[in-house]
């Protein structure tokens, strides 16, 4: 196919008319030259003055018409650019705001989802109404300040329509026009709640690992002399002793064995004991655990609801150790509901892909954030002195981790506690 030649310029047109007389009129609109009107005539019959006047008037009309067409085209392109920008902002999954001196000029759908205000409501507000204050939390990943190109970074606390708050990493970029004048700001907001939770989990995991190593070393050092004490006490009990002596030796034997039991719990927490493996029907373990605690639960007026997966999912582990974990959880839930009017414990299992999730939900007194952070530490307990050793949840933590799983707690004071265990699924 033959390519079409580009249009001639006015100069080229003039050069192609050597034998004719040419009259050139610029097409002016708003102090811009939009083109030229070239009129040619034979030299033998040049244009008259009235013809030139008519052509000049015609050129003014042509310039206005051409200017109007160009304006329509510019407006169409501007609308297309705005539509493209709005579409791009709609696809971004975190809040984006465009601000001017009057307030929020635009808020994308993600902003409406995050703050629970409609887009129209957000665009009738000032951005400052969403900000509660600065996030003073230590160890922030993004530090407040101004970086290159005038972009500002800050860590704030923002508030939703329902009053709930969340930590936000905010980026503010200047919005300038073609002439460099400041038109407004583009604000990008990222909810960093999930980042904070992951950071807290990592810090907790590192802390528990270091604590486990320390506990394992101390436990092994104490276990050896305790074993000797228990053995020699047993030998003495086989000798002929007076009643008072036998009672004293029996007490030594009893207390040393009890101390060894605490050491074994510490070693379980530190994952330094041998673990059994095999397919375990977790539903069966839960049902057995509830039967074991049936009497104390009934006396405490605690109702138990079992919502167990009908597919009876299997996990790999030692059923006795897994039952020990569940007994600790059920016992803690029962204790937490002693002073509450509603006493309901729900035990649930569910197969999620390659994992099995075990959930225990109680309507107890709940826990503060500080207690939640420390609940897996050995010897930490909120119970009265002499009630428990404070090793229950730390041992549970060690057992679950030994089987490649995770255990987590979410709680709210005066509402209740949810313990979630996730273990790798296995086949028979």
């Amino acid at each position: 196919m033959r390519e079409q030649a580009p249009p001639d310029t006015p100069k080229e047109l003039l050069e192609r008319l050597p034998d004719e007389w040419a009259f050139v009129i610029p097409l002016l609109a708003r102090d811009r030259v939009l083109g030229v009107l070239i009129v040619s005539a034979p030299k033998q019959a040049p244009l008259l003055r009235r013809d030139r006047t008519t052509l000049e008037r015609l050129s003014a009309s042509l310039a206005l018409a051409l200017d109007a067409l160009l304006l329509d085209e510019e407006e169409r392109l501007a609308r297309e650019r705005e539509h493209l920008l709005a579409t791009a902002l709609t696809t971004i999954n975190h809040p984006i705001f465009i601000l001017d001196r009057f307030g929020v000029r635009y808020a994308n759908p993600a902003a409406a989802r995050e703050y629970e205000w409609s887009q129209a409501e957000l665009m009738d507000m000032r951005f400052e109404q969403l900000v509660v204050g600065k996030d003073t939390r230590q160890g922030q990943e993004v530090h407040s300040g101004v970086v290159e190109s005038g972009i500002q970074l800050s860590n704030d606390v923002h508030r939703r329509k329902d009053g709930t708050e969340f930590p936000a990493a905010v980026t503010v970029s200047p919005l300038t026009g073609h002439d460099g004048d400041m038109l407004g700001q583009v604000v990008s907001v990222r909810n960093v709640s999930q980042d904070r939770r992951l950071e807290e989990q990592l810090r907790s995991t590192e802390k528990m690992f270091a604590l486990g190593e320390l506990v394992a070393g101390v436990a092994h050092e104490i276990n050896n002399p305790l074993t000797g004490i228990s053995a020699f006490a047993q030998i003495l009990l086989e000798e002929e002793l007076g009643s008072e002596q036998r009672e004293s030796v029996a007490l030594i034997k009893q207390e040393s064995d009890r101390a060894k039991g605490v050491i074994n719990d510490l070693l379980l927490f530190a994952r330094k004991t041998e673990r059994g493996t095999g397919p375990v029907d977790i539903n069966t373990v839960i049902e057995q655990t509830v039967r074991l605690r049936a009497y104390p639960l009934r006396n405490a007026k605690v109702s138990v609801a079992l919502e167990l997966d009908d597919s009876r999912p299997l996990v790999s582990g030692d059923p006795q150790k897994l039952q020990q974990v569940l007994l600790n959880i059920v016992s803690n839930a029962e204790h937490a509901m002693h002073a509450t009017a509603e006493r309901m414990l729900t035990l649930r299992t569910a197969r999620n892909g390659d994992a099995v999730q075990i959930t225990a939900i109680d309507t107890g007194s709940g826990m503060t954030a500080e207690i939640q952070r420390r609940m897996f530490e050995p010897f930490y307990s909120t119970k009265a002195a002499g009630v428990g050793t404070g090793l229950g949840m730390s041992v549970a933590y060690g057992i679950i981790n030994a089987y490649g799983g995770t255990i987590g707690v979410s709680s709210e004071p005066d509402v209740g506690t949810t313990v979630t265990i996730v273990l790798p699924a296995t086949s028979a």
Side-chain angles (χ1 to χ4, degrees):
M1 181 176 177
R2 184 178 178 182
E3 293 185 1
Q4 185 178 0
D8 295 318
T9 64
K11 183 178 179 182
E12 291 172 337
L13 286 171
L14 290 172
E15 291 174 350
R16 291 174 56 187
L17 301 171
D19 298 329
E20 297 180 346
W21 184 85
F23 183 53
V24 180
I25 305 173
L27 302 178
L28 298 173
R30 294 185 296 161
D31 298 326
R32 292 191 304 167
V33 178
L34 303 180
V36 291
L37 175 64
I38 302 174
V39 181
S40 62
K43 292 182 179 180
Q44 296 81 3
L47 294 174
L48 300 176
R49 182 179 296 276
R50 66 172 181 273
D51 298 328
R52 294 185 181 185
T53 302
T54 301
L55 288 172
E56 287 174 352
R57 290 174 180 171
L58 177 61
S59 70
S61 300
L62 287 173
L64 289 174
L66 185 58
D67 186 45
L69 287 173
L70 291 174
L71 281 175
D72 287 344
E73 180 65 14
E74 288 175 358
E75 289 178 0
R76 184 184 67 81
L77 292 174
R79 286 194 298 270
E80 286 182 357
R81 285 193 294 268
E82 289 179 0
H83 177 71
L84 184 63
L85 176 61
T87 302
L89 292 175
T90 299
T91 62
I92 297 175
N93 60 6
H94 64 269
I96 298 289
F97 298 89
I98 297 177
L99 313 181
D100 61 15
R101 61 192 181 91
F102 299 106
V104 178
R105 181 68 177 272
Y106 173 81
N108 69 343
R113 291 193 299 270
E114 181 66 70
Y115 291 91
E116 298 175 354
W117 299 89
S118 69
Q119 286 180 271
E121 289 173 322
L122 287 171
M123 286 186 277
D124 198 33
M125 300 169 63
R126 296 193 65 83
F127 183 73
E128 292 78 8
Q129 294 175 249
L130 304 173
V131 183
V132 179
K134 291 294 180 184
D135 186 358
T136 57
R137 185 180 180 277
Q138 298 297 319
Q140 297 171 358
E141 295 180 3
V142 180
H143 299 281
S144 300
V146 180
V147 296
E148 65 277 0
S149 304
I151 297 176
Q152 300 178 8
L153 306 177
S154 65
N155 286 275
D156 303 325
V157 178
H158 288 204
R159 180 175 293 155
R160 300 183 181 92
K161 184 177 182 178
D162 64 0
T164 58
E165 299 175 359
F166 65 92
V170 181
T171 305
V172 182
S173 307
L175 183 63
T176 57
H178 295 295
D179 53 2
D181 290 343
M182 186 74 169
L183 301 178
Q185 296 173 318
V186 178
V187 179
S188 173
V189 178
R190 189 168 62 87
N191 186 335
V192 295
S193 299
Q194 182 64 19
D195 295 350
R196 298 289 166 80
R197 282 193 291 269
L198 292 174
E199 181 185 342
E200 192 65 37
Q201 288 174 6
L202 179 60
R203 186 181 293 112
S204 176
T205 300
E206 291 174 345
K207 176 182 177 182
M208 297 303 287
F209 178 78
L211 188 58
E213 292 295 317
L214 175 64
V215 165
V218 173
H220 279 300
E221 290 297 322
I222 297 175
N223 198 42
N224 292 333
L226 281 175
T227 301
I229 293 171
S230 178
F232 280 113
Q234 183 61 43
I235 292 172
L236 285 173
L237 287 173
E238 295 173 1
E239 300 291 334
E240 292 185 5
L241 301 172
S243 59
E244 290 186 4
Q245 290 175 325
R246 180 170 294 278
E247 184 179 347
S248 298
V249 174
L251 184 60
I252 292 172
K253 169 69 174 171
Q254 174 187 322
E255 292 303 308
S256 61
D257 287 344
R258 190 173 71 86
K260 284 186 65 179
V262 173
I263 294 300
N264 286 334
D265 284 344
L266 287 172
L267 290 173
L268 272 174
F269 161 73
R271 293 175 289 170
K272 299 298 180 182
T273 56
E274 204 174 304
R275 57 178 182 170
T277 58
V280 177
D281 183 341
I282 197 65
N283 287 4
T284 299
V285 176
I286 290 175
E287 290 163 348
Q288 290 174 347
T289 303
V290 171
R291 284 197 295 270
L292 283 173
R293 295 293 302 177
Y295 181 73
L297 288 168
R298 190 166 54 251
N299 279 350
K301 296 182 174 55
V302 174
S303 300
V304 180
L306 297 182
E307 300 176 3
L308 306 181
D309 193 326
D310 293 334
S311 66
R312 305 199 73 85
L314 302 178
V315 298
S316 180
D318 183 334
Q320 290 184 344
K321 287 187 172 68
L322 291 173
Q323 188 173 80
Q324 183 180 358
V325 171
L326 292 167
L327 280 170
N328 278 320
I329 293 171
V330 171
S331 176
N332 286 343
E334 175 196 326
H335 184 270
M337 290 187 282
H338 279 169
T340 60
E342 183 184 2
R343 302 177 186 181
M344 170 64 73
L345 173 62
T346 303
L347 297 172
R348 183 181 300 149
T349 59
R351 174 73 180 262
N352 295 324
D354 295 331
V356 177
Q357 182 170 305
I358 306 149
T359 309
I361 307 168
D362 69 54
T363 57
S365 55
M367 294 180 286
T368 63
E370 175 62 23
I371 294 175
Q372 290 181 64
R373 282 194 292 271
R374 299 191 59 190
M375 69 173 302
F376 294 116
E377 294 181 13
F379 302 112
Y380 180 78
S381 176
T382 58
K383 298 176 182 177
V387 181
T389 62
L391 285 172
M393 292 307 293
S394 60
V395 169
Y397 178 92
I399 292 172
I400 296 303
N401 274 268
Y403 292 124
T406 60
I407 180 170
V409 177
S410 62
S411 184
E412 187 175 343
D414 302 322
V415 174
T417 299
T418 299
V419 180
T420 304
I421 298 171
V422 179
L423 287 167
T426 187
S427 55

